[in-house]
Amino acid sequence: MKKLEARPASKPSGKRLRNLVAELQELEAKLRQGGGPEKTERQHKQGKLTARERIGLLFDKAEYSQEIGLLVAYDQYDGAAPAAGVVTTIGRVNGREVVVVANDATVKAGSWWPETIKKILRAQEVAMRSHVPIIYLVDSAGVNLPYQGGVFPGQYGAARIFYYNSIMRRYLKIPQISAVMGPCIAGGAYLPALSDIIVMVEGTSFMGLGGANLVKGATGQTIDNEALGGARTHNAVSGVAHYRVENDDACVAKIREFVSELPVKPPSAVSITESVEAARPAANLYDVRAMLDCILDGGHLDEFQADYAKEVITGHARVRGIHVGVIANNRGMFREAAGGAPKFGGIIYTDSAEKVAYFIENCNRHKTPLLFIQDVSGFMVGSEAEHSGIIRAGARFVEAMATAIVPKIVLTINHASGAGYYAMAGQGFDPDFIFSWPTGRMGVMEGDSAVQAVFGTELDKLRLEGKEESPELNAEMERVRETYERELDAKYAAARGFVDAVIIPENTRDALELALRVGLNYDGPHLGPFVLPPSLV
């Protein structure tokens, strides 16, 4: 098993990438239809726009935006929960980076699945970590009751949304703008109530702890929803809402006005110059240096310790003018100047771990954001590696990465395996954003390695006895291999929220630039979901 983990991984073909990109784009196009044309038409007949139509009006025209969690739950619930019924995305409004959470009422009336909660919390964490405004476009029937067990209770159940609302409002001072553009029922009503501003749309919005039917059943009182909790009621009677507008278009325009009135975001300490085009357009590239030519301005990398521990590339560069520290796994075979056994690229050795730890600490001191480009099969194993102190060096690498307080962006281009995935800023270490190309593969090990780990002893015994594997054993090994192949797929990771988005190579510079600019809204520590002001700790 260990030897298999340390082998250099094969590089996927250009044809495979093209096929994966086409497959991804087809899936995304389907998911963006939400509940489908009939549900969209029903929304229009109610005088409402769909979630994505609202976002399209809200964001600045011709500016790149990045949806987060589009693939979440796509392979669950028999396909009945595209994007888990909520659109979470980052983009620009009047040039200002914002986070948007928009219920998709074409999917089960915008009700909350367990994965809906996960997506909303992720969006709030993006806003809290980078101190960017967050906008809620509310159009939801509330909890999807058959799945309430995964929505209501627990530390990361729906209550966590309101906890984050409160922390943002009281301590972090992050602008929260809510637009009630449809139903907003029960506990969900606390989301706008804990925002700075509430806008309601005349005739289509409702906000209340219980709807008219529940009120009648609980109290015997007969009242319609409009009188109970419509836009006029909450603006003229209860005073809960702050603005009343005539339709969705007017509501979006009002939100854009609010954003334009926000205080100017503080200047960034990070060096930002005029953007320079990449050295070459994105193509079917798997050599990491050629890939860097497609991502970095002018393809220029001021490489740090270029002659040392070549299996990991470190250096300073710019992405659309933004200064970043780059850490990239480098596939291939390398011989050290001092001699010794060759090294496999994509494997982390003792000296490469020390090199990266030192580089991260330098970037952290200088407030330089970090860009991790993952193609890692794990740490080296064996007597030579252990005797060189790889455990201690690996721990230093992990600690330097985990405690760095600068924005961290991750792009998985191929393998992200074992503890190497952790060290290269895996999701458990709260990177600001984690993206994957369609070729990304996340798991403890590859399918062949897993087969060797599970069946190796049995196979060795059969060989010693001069016997062949039985058809049943071969079938079981193939089943294990296929399970690993399925679960290693980037779409599988995205469906479970392990990556924020699967992006195609052509969009990589756009996605990285937007993620970096979101992160640079806040010059303080990027550590965990949020950092409280020093006066409170």
Side-chain angles (χ1 to χ4, degrees):
M1 177 184 70
K2 298 302 185 183
K3 290 180 180 178
L4 285 172
E5 283 189 315
R7 289 187 316 187
S10 60
K11 296 178 181 179
S13 67
K15 181 180 180 181
R16 177 170 175 264
L17 174 59
R18 289 192 295 273
N19 290 341
L20 289 172
V21 166
E23 184 181 299
L24 174 67
Q25 291 176 322
E26 181 180 353
L27 174 60
E28 288 185 335
K30 179 182 178 181
L31 294 173
R32 288 193 177 100
Q33 293 180 10
E38 289 184 8
K39 296 292 179 63
T40 297
E41 182 60 27
R42 181 181 178 185
Q43 187 94 338
H44 290 164
K45 286 180 178 179
Q46 293 174 351
K48 300 194 295 183
L49 300 174
T50 66
R52 287 188 171 81
E53 288 169 341
R54 290 163 176 166
I55 293 170
L57 283 177
L58 178 63
F59 282 162
D60 295 346
K61 299 294 182 276
E63 289 282 348
Y64 183 82
S65 61
Q66 179 63 60
E67 187 165 346
I68 301 298
L70 172 58
L71 270 61
V72 166
Y74 87 89
D75 57 357
Q76 298 172 259
Y77 309 109
D78 295 323
V86 64
V87 182
T88 50
T89 185
I90 54 174
R92 296 182 179 91
V93 175
N94 294 323
R96 183 73 172 264
E97 291 82 25
V98 301
V99 179
V100 176
V101 176
N103 301 115
D104 186 352
T106 70
V107 179
K108 200 69 175 178
S111 59
W112 290 2
W113 310 72
E115 292 75 17
T116 311
I117 308 303
K118 183 184 297 186
K119 286 186 64 174
I120 295 173
L121 292 176
R122 175 64 183 139
Q124 289 181 310
E125 288 175 359
V126 169
M128 290 190 293
R129 188 178 291 123
S130 296
H131 287 223
V132 293
I134 184 166
I135 299 165
Y136 307 101
L137 307 181
V138 185
D139 191 352
S140 171
V143 172
N144 190 345
L145 292 176
Y147 301 97
Q148 66 171 333
V151 173
F152 176 73
Q155 182 180 4
Y156 288 91
R160 192 83 177 181
I161 295 171
F162 314 132
Y163 170 60
Y164 283 169
N165 279 140
S166 304
I167 294 295
M168 280 190 274
R169 181 172 168 82
R170 177 63 61 89
Y171 296 129
L172 301 180
K173 315 299 184 189
I174 293 169
Q176 297 182 85
I177 299 169
S178 283
V180 181
M181 307 179 80
C184 178
I185 296 173
Y190 289 115
L191 188 149
L194 287 164
S195 299
D196 302 331
I197 293 170
I198 303 175
V199 188
M200 295 187 70
V201 179
E202 185 78 39
T204 59
S205 64
F206 168 82
M207 182 165 52
L209 297 182
N213 290 335
L214 180 62
V215 168
K216 185 172 183 178
T219 69
Q221 181 182 12
T222 300
I223 187 172
D224 62 59
N225 277 335
E226 184 62 31
L228 179 64
R232 285 189 177 274
T233 296
H234 281 310
N235 275 272
V237 179
S238 73
V240 169
H242 308 114
Y243 296 89
R244 174 172 55 88
V245 293
E246 61 181 344
N247 54 39
D248 281 10
D249 292 75
C251 185
V252 170
K254 179 61 73 175
I255 295 170
R256 286 183 57 85
E257 183 180 359
F258 293 149
V259 174
S260 71
E261 296 167 352
L262 292 173
V264 176
K265 64 183 181 182
S268 172
V270 175
S271 171
I272 302 177
T273 60
E274 186 175 346
S275 175
V276 175
E277 288 301 314
R280 68 174 84 185
N284 302 324
L285 300 171
Y286 291 96
D287 174 79
V288 71
R289 292 188 183 276
M291 192 214 68
L292 290 174
D293 283 344
C294 300
I295 292 178
L296 307 180
D297 288 9
H300 175 67
L301 177 70
D302 180 14
E303 190 167 351
F304 178 81
Q305 289 193 299
D307 297 324
Y308 184 69
K310 295 181 180 181
E311 64 274 9
V312 179
I313 296 170
T314 54
H316 296 273
R318 293 185 185 273
V319 176
R320 296 272 169 80
I322 304 170
H323 180 209
V324 296
V326 177
I327 300 160
N329 303 113
N330 188 20
R331 291 285 174 185
M333 190 80 76
F334 305 96
R335 288 195 177 275
E336 295 290 79
K343 290 182 174 180
F344 298 120
I347 306 293
I348 298 171
Y349 293 77
T350 299
D351 48 4
S352 49
E354 294 281 0
K355 168 182 168 177
V356 176
Y358 190 92
F359 180 73
I360 289 174
E361 288 165 357
N362 270 355
C363 288
N364 196 46
R365 276 191 288 272
H366 301 154
K367 295 190 174 182
T368 303
L370 294 168
L371 171 59
F372 293 84
I373 299 177
Q374 292 182 342
D375 186 2
V376 60
S377 296
F379 281 82
M380 190 58 189
V381 295
S383 61
E384 185 176 343
E386 299 294 355
H387 296 168
S388 70
I390 195 166
I391 292 176
R392 177 68 64 193
R396 186 182 170 206
F397 182 175
V398 169
E399 181 183 3
M401 175 275 301
T403 58
I405 61 175
V406 296
K408 294 186 279 280
I409 314 296
V410 178
L411 173 63
T412 304
I413 60 171
N414 195 15
H415 296 268
S417 304
Y421 163 71
Y422 294 156
M424 290 290 289
Q427 188 188 34
F429 292 91
D430 280 332
D432 289 61
F433 293 96
I434 182 165
F435 302 124
S436 176
W437 276 5
T439 47
R441 295 167 68 79
M442 292 185 181
V444 174
M445 61 182 70
E446 289 287 316
D448 287 336
S449 298
V451 168
Q452 181 65 28
V454 174
F455 300 99
T457 301
E458 187 174 355
L459 291 172
D460 288 343
K461 182 180 178 182
L462 287 172
R463 291 187 188 109
L464 286 172
E465 295 173 353
K467 297 179 181 178
E468 295 292 327
E469 300 92 345
S470 68
E472 293 78 13
L473 178 60
N474 279 324
E476 183 65 14
M477 289 192 296
E478 186 58 30
R479 186 191 65 78
V480 170
R481 187 179 287 106
E482 288 176 356
T483 297
Y484 270 76
E485 287 301 307
R486 182 178 68 256
E487 294 182 358
L488 284 164
D489 189 88
K491 296 191 299 300
Y492 182 92
R496 283 141 191 86
F498 301 156
V499 300
D500 289 314
V502 181
I503 59 175
I504 63 175
E506 289 80 2
N507 290 342
T508 303
R509 272 171 61 84
D510 289 326
L512 294 179
E513 180 202 5
L514 181 56
L516 285 164
R517 290 195 179 276
V518 168
L520 294 181
N521 273 261
Y522 181 50
D523 199 33
H526 289 239
L527 199 64
F530 59 87
V531 176
L532 291 172
S535 60
L536 297 175
V537 296

